[in-house]
Structure formats: C-alpha cells, structure tokens
Amino acid sequence: MFKKMASDAFGLSDIGIVVPPEDFDKTESDDFIKHEKNEKIYFLIKTKSDEYCFTNLALVHVDGTSAMSKKRTLRRYDYETTVFSDVTLETAGTIDLDVEIKFTVAGIPTSIDIHKKFDTEIKDLYKALHEISTIMHNNDIKMEYAQQSLNLAATAVGRSGSEAITPAQSFEQITRFANSWLNEHKKDYKRADYGDVYELYINR
C-alpha cells in the first residue's frame, strides 16, 4: 500500500505525501527513532528523496541526494536543543497541485511541498509546529529573565557580602548556586518532549 501511494503521488515531481501511521514502520526514518527512550512518531512526510519525521522528541530528516541514489544523510533536531520558528503554511490555489509548509529549524529555512489532497493533515501539522515554536519562544524569554535575575542577585550579594568571606569565596558560592538553580529549572525552559502538543492537534 505504501509503495503504491508513493508511486502514485510522486510521478516526476518532488511533491510529498503524508505517510499513514500504519506505514511508519516501512520508512527509513523508523530505523532512527529512539524507541528505547519511548520516542514516538506523530507525523511523517515522504518525498522522492527525503523523509521528514516529526516525533515527540525531535524532527528527524532523512536527506537523500536523489530518488535514484541510496545514499542518505541523517539530520536530527532535538527540541531540547533546537529552536523552531517562522512557521508558515501556503495553501493550494485553484490550479496548484501542492501545499507548502515552511519553518526555520536551527537557523535553517526549510520548505516542504505536499500533495494538496493532504491539505487537512498539513493544517494540523502547521498548528502543532506553530504551537511548539510559540512555546519555545516564550520559554527563551523566561530563561533570559531568570538569568538576568540571577545576575542581579549575584551582584547584590557581592556588594553586601560579609567581610569574613573573600571575593573569591563569594564568587564561588554564587556560581555554584546559579548553576544548581539553572540545572534544577532547565526543564521548565527547555522542553524535551512535545508529545502533548501533537496529541492535541494531530492524534485526535
């Protein structure tokens, strides 16, 4: 079924298809999913040469040089360490065969053309990616505020420290506290798992 869908959809163009969940395990992307860490595929787009696999933990891009070549380059963008932004969707016109979803990941502009018969599914993906990018943006702002607050606190402590404590000791204590605090609250600002977002918009 999957091979037939791919063949019918691709033709001579590079317009992608949305792979149904029952065919996820027939794709190359599935080989690179961290099943050991409970990673789950929520959305998968396949073109003639590429696969774009959206999981609860990352975007996995299987990048092929061409449809005829078996050579592939794997790129993994974990949400915890990667910024997604500028998510846009270009719907199909009257004579268009495809819709186009665009986003920037790790500073790299990405554009994917998908057959317009998957218009509904792509709209759901757009909503999920837009929500993820919004959460990331807001968390970055909160993290920046938290770091500024720590810096102000460190400055204040340094000025009002006891004479019994040397500047070096005071600096060491402040640094230790700041690192401990940031490590403890890192999960509040750098989310690793966005499965709940995909569940809300896609897995309905």
Side-chain angles (χ1 to χ4, degrees):
M1 174 184 174
F2 174 71
K3 291 183 178 179
K4 183 178 186 301
M5 287 179 62
S7 177
D8 291 344
F10 292 148
L12 298 176
S13 68
D14 200 24
I15 299 176
I17 65 167
V18 175
V19 179
E22 60 267 25
D23 288 324
F24 285 165
D25 61 351
K26 300 180 179 66
T27 64
E28 291 184 74
S29 297
D30 187 67
D31 295 334
F32 304 109
I33 299 304
K34 297 179 179 179
H35 299 287
E36 301 84 356
K37 297 186 68 173
N38 297 318
E39 186 169 21
K40 177 181 178 181
I41 300 175
Y42 279 93
F43 205 93
L44 207 160
I45 299 170
K46 183 174 180 63
T47 69
K48 281 202 300 186
S49 56
D50 296 89
E51 290 179 6
Y52 299 88
C53 179
F54 300 87
T55 80
N56 57 315
L57 303 180
L59 163 62
V60 177
H61 179 199
V62 181
D63 188 356
T65 55
S66 70
M68 301 301 293
S69 172
K70 291 185 178 181
K71 185 176 181 179
R72 298 287 185 267
T73 299
L74 176 69
R75 296 183 175 89
R76 182 183 174 92
Y77 303 99
D78 289 292
Y79 303 133
E80 189 174 15
T81 57
T82 305
V83 175
F84 284 71
S85 62
D86 305 319
V87 182
T88 61
L89 175 65
E90 185 176 306
T91 60
T94 305
I95 61 174
D96 295 325
L97 293 176
D98 64 313
V99 296
E100 186 176 7
I101 190 165
K102 300 179 181 179
F103 53 87
T104 298
V105 54
I108 304 172
T110 302
S111 177
I112 312 171
D113 295 322
I114 308 97
H115 196 283
K116 67 178 180 180
K117 69 180 179 180
F118 300 105
D119 178 75
T120 300
E121 292 91 335
I122 294 302
K123 287 177 180 177
D124 288 341
L125 176 63
Y126 164 77
K127 288 186 285 187
L129 292 181
H130 187 274
E131 180 74 8
I132 289 171
S133 70
T134 299
I135 293 173
M136 288 180 171
H137 175 71
N138 290 336
N139 284 348
D140 282 344
I141 293 176
K142 293 176 184 177
M143 184 65 169
E144 183 178 348
Y145 286 160
Q147 290 176 324
Q148 289 175 355
S149 297
L150 281 174
N151 290 337
L152 289 173
T155 301
V157 170
R159 289 174 178 172
S160 60
S162 169
E163 293 182 359
I165 301 177
T166 66
Q169 290 173 325
S170 178
F171 177 78
E172 182 180 355
Q173 291 176 358
I174 293 168
T175 301
R176 187 184 303 115
F177 170 78
N179 288 335
S180 175
W181 189 93
L182 287 173
N183 287 331
E184 181 181 350
H185 292 83
K186 180 181 179 181
K187 61 181 181 298
D188 298 328
Y189 306 107
K190 292 293 183 181
R191 286 184 57 177
D193 193 321
Y194 283 86
D196 59 322
V197 176
Y198 286 114
E199 290 283 351
L200 178 63
Y201 291 106
I202 293 176
N203 195 22
R204 296 180 291 178

